[in-house]
Amino acid sequence: MADTYLNFVDGTWTEASTSETFENTNPADVNDTVGVFQRSDAEDAERAVEAANAAKDEWAATPGPERGRILRETSKRLADRKDEATTALVREEGKTEPEAAGEVQRAIDIFAYFGEKAADIGGTVKSSSSQDTRLYTVDEPLGVAALITPWNYPIAIPAWKLAPALAAGNAVVFKPASLAPNVARILVECLEDAGLPDGVVNYVTGPGSAVGSTFATHEDVDAVSFTGSAKVGDTVHQQATEDQKRVQLEMGGKNPVVVTSSADVEEAADIAAGGAFGVTGQACTATSRAIVHESLYDEFVDAVVDRAESLTVADGLDGADVGPHVSESELESTLEYVDVGTREGATLETGGERLTEGDHANGYYVEPTVFSDVAPEMRIAQEEIFGPVLAVIPAATYDEAVEIANDVEYGLSASIVTNDLRESNAFVDDVEAGVVKVNQQTTGLELHVPFGGMKASSSETYREQGDAGLDFFTISKTVYVGY
């Protein structure tokens, strides 16, 4: 019998007012129920906002170093529960165990980082042009921040929103994705155990149409930070900006790796395969396109196919290289794109089949997939797939490769593999992406530098992580003191 988990509102674990629940199952084995969670509605979301609104002033008045102490203690509590959180993440989302452990460690590190940064929040002193005048700024929290997070990084993304929001002195209402709410619950328990005051963080599970929409439109919410699909993000933006809330959106990607004529093919194949097939391709920064100089094209295709075919697809707790899709609908979407690519005339070099025999019988597994002979205008070269599918596109020149890389609606992450210093520096200038890598995977982020996209990948308002993460959750006053 699976455990039933509750919402966390005003410092109390409580049932939803609906008395309804939903099951969360293991994508590696749908007969394994991870837990039963509250199917909350607008009334539950409103109670969470009321609790945060009541708690915000006291938390804002708490000295930054004390807020930081609670965040550092949260980091320690999560570190103590790392194995538990790792297993929970694998079972609900499908990552491999090393991938899940790395994500949990990222959350641990984020809370430790912002625990230290909390003491630095304050403002700046400037020289006035007038005599006998002090001129300075004061950074203050916004008030109540609503955080709406996706299933694909179910603890790292909540961490990189929660930690700066709390460090800056905001109270929070938080809706995790219904496909992966359990590891987020563990994080909230760590915050509670660390001594966070009642009402400062409120965790509510349930459908976005009820909980997320209420958060986005509620008059007592001052800021909304959302990560997810572009379609849902557009809706959140429209709802939240009707009363001029501050909004931060990070959404999809169609991320390229450009392989130039000077590149080492084996290195390029490793970089492309790692970015395309890691985390089952279920990352907004995953490599979706390899744009390869025609002189290396055939050799690259052979090399990346070899890597795809060498990967073990299995339960993330069983030593797999690639885990399952998170849900049947996500799996069906990937399989549909495989069909689309074949119909469009691309060559299916390897993969693309659902695995259904033996240990794969009860999970959402698909083989890592490589298409060659892909034209830039094909749907598999234009649309986000969110699965382990790599489209390999030929290019005759560096300029053509960059033109193809930029000719999509998204602009999140991009990489170039080259041994030419001029090309590497030119790419940084030329590519339309918020994250640019040279001789590295499109996936993988440092926690102390800004993260965000361009074009349809982002609202292009505020970046996340590092000092930029704090900027979103604070507002400045400028103070003139004559004496």
Side-chain angles (χ1 to χ4, degrees):
M1 188 74 177
D3 291 335
T4 297
Y5 299 110
L6 305 176
N7 291 334
F8 186 67
V9 177
D10 201 15
T12 301
W13 293 95
T14 181
E15 293 182 355
S17 62
T18 62
S19 299
E20 296 179 1
T21 59
F22 64 92
E23 288 189 350
N24 179 245
T25 58
N26 184 344
D29 180 359
V30 295
N31 296 318
D32 175 24
T33 300
V34 173
V36 179
F37 294 84
Q38 303 302 303
R39 188 181 299 277
S40 308
D41 65 4
E43 181 180 341
D44 299 297
E46 287 173 359
R47 283 210 302 267
V49 175
E50 289 170 4
N53 196 46
K56 67 180 184 182
D57 290 342
E58 182 179 351
W59 182 243
T62 301
E66 172 60 15
R67 295 197 300 263
R69 184 195 65 78
I70 292 174
L71 297 187
R72 293 193 301 275
E73 182 62 24
T74 301
S75 175
K76 293 175 184 176
R77 300 275 177 157
L78 185 57
D80 291 341
R81 299 178 66 179
K82 181 177 179 181
D83 290 345
E84 175 194 357
T86 296
T87 300
L89 200 162
V90 174
R91 286 183 63 214
E92 69 177 345
E93 195 272 344
K95 281 186 172 71
T96 67
E97 191 167 16
E99 290 168 345
E103 182 178 341
V104 174
Q105 186 62 51
R106 168 58 65 92
I108 293 166
D109 294 343
I110 286 169
F111 271 87
Y113 172 81
F114 282 105
E116 296 295 336
K117 294 293 290 184
D120 292 334
I121 299 170
T124 58
V125 177
K126 299 291 185 179
S127 295
S128 174
S129 58
S130 301
Q131 290 192 4
D132 302 330
T133 301
R134 294 286 183 262
L135 180 61
Y136 62 95
T137 65
V138 178
D139 294 333
E140 296 185 348
L142 298 173
V144 176
L147 312 181
I148 304 171
T149 60
W151 51 261
N152 62 323
Y153 283 90
I155 192 168
I157 292 178
W160 80 48
K161 296 180 188 293
L162 277 163
L166 295 173
N170 297 276
V172 168
V173 290
F174 166 39
K175 193 202 92 65
S178 294
L179 285 172
N182 195 32
V183 73
R185 173 194 60 82
I186 293 172
L187 178 56
V188 172
E189 287 182 348
C190 291
L191 283 161
E192 179 190 21
D193 293 342
L196 192 72
D198 294 349
V200 176
V201 166
N202 303 274
Y203 159 95
V204 181
T205 58
S209 57
V211 178
S213 292
T214 301
F215 286 170
T217 58
H218 200 289
E219 64 182 1
D220 289 331
V221 170
D222 301 288
V224 179
S225 180
F226 167 87
T227 300
S229 71
K231 180 179 180 181
V232 177
D234 288 343
T235 300
V236 170
H237 187 269
Q238 181 177 0
Q239 291 175 331
T241 53
E242 285 184 0
D243 61 352
Q244 298 185 333
K245 289 179 175 61
R246 184 176 288 190
V247 180
Q248 176 185 64
L249 306 176
E250 291 303 334
M251 298 174 286
K254 191 66 181 174
N255 310 297
V257 167
V258 169
V259 181
T260 73
S261 60
S262 68
D264 178 276
V265 171
E266 296 300 317
E267 179 188 18
D270 285 339
I271 288 170
F277 309 132
V279 298
T280 318
Q282 297 180 135
C284 55
T285 56
T287 303
S288 188
R289 299 173 294 155
I291 304 166
V292 184
H293 191 273
E294 58 190 13
S295 66
L296 305 179
Y297 188 82
D298 291 340
E299 187 180 355
F300 175 86
V301 170
D302 289 343
V304 82
V305 166
D306 286 344
R307 282 154 180 77
E309 292 178 345
S310 71
L311 298 173
T312 300
V313 182
D315 187 329
L317 294 173
D318 292 339
D321 299 311
V322 179
H325 273 288
V326 72
S327 69
E328 186 171 19
S329 63
E330 291 293 332
L331 171 66
E332 289 176 347
S333 176
T334 293
L335 294 173
E336 181 180 343
Y337 273 109
V338 172
D339 290 340
V340 166
T342 302
R343 291 198 305 269
E344 287 182 321
T347 300
L348 179 60
E349 294 283 349
T350 190
E353 293 291 331
R354 180 175 184 178
L355 301 173
T356 59
E357 301 296 327
D359 291 339
H360 299 114
N362 296 316
Y364 304 128
Y365 297 100
V366 66
E367 296 171 327
T369 305
V370 177
F371 278 102
S372 65
D373 303 319
V374 178
E377 66 274 10
M378 291 181 178
R379 286 180 60 193
I380 60 169
Q382 289 288 323
E383 300 175 14
E384 186 175 39
I385 297 175
F386 229 64
V389 179
L390 179 66
V392 189
I393 304 168
T397 63
Y398 165 84
D399 289 337
E400 183 185 3
V402 172
E403 182 180 354
I404 293 169
N406 289 338
D407 189 25
V408 293
E409 64 175 321
Y410 298 105
L412 185 52
S413 182
S415 174
I416 187 170
V417 186
T418 181
N419 285 314
D420 185 314
L421 184 61
R422 185 198 66 80
E423 288 176 342
S424 66
N425 283 282
F427 187 73
V428 173
D429 296 334
D430 297 338
V431 74
E432 296 169 356
V435 177
V436 184
K437 303 283 195 76
V438 177
N439 297 326
Q440 294 185 9
Q441 295 178 14
T442 56
T443 51
L445 304 169
E446 297 274 2
L447 62 85
H448 59 292
V449 290
F451 168 69
M454 296 179 177
K455 301 190 285 189
S457 292
S458 173
S459 56
E460 298 186 337
T461 49
Y462 292 85
R463 295 309 199 199
E464 296 190 283
Q465 305 202 101
D467 289 335
L470 290 168
D471 290 343
F472 175 72
F473 293 107
T474 56
I475 191 164
S476 292
K477 287 179 179 177
T478 303
V479 182
Y480 298 75
V481 180
Y483 60 91

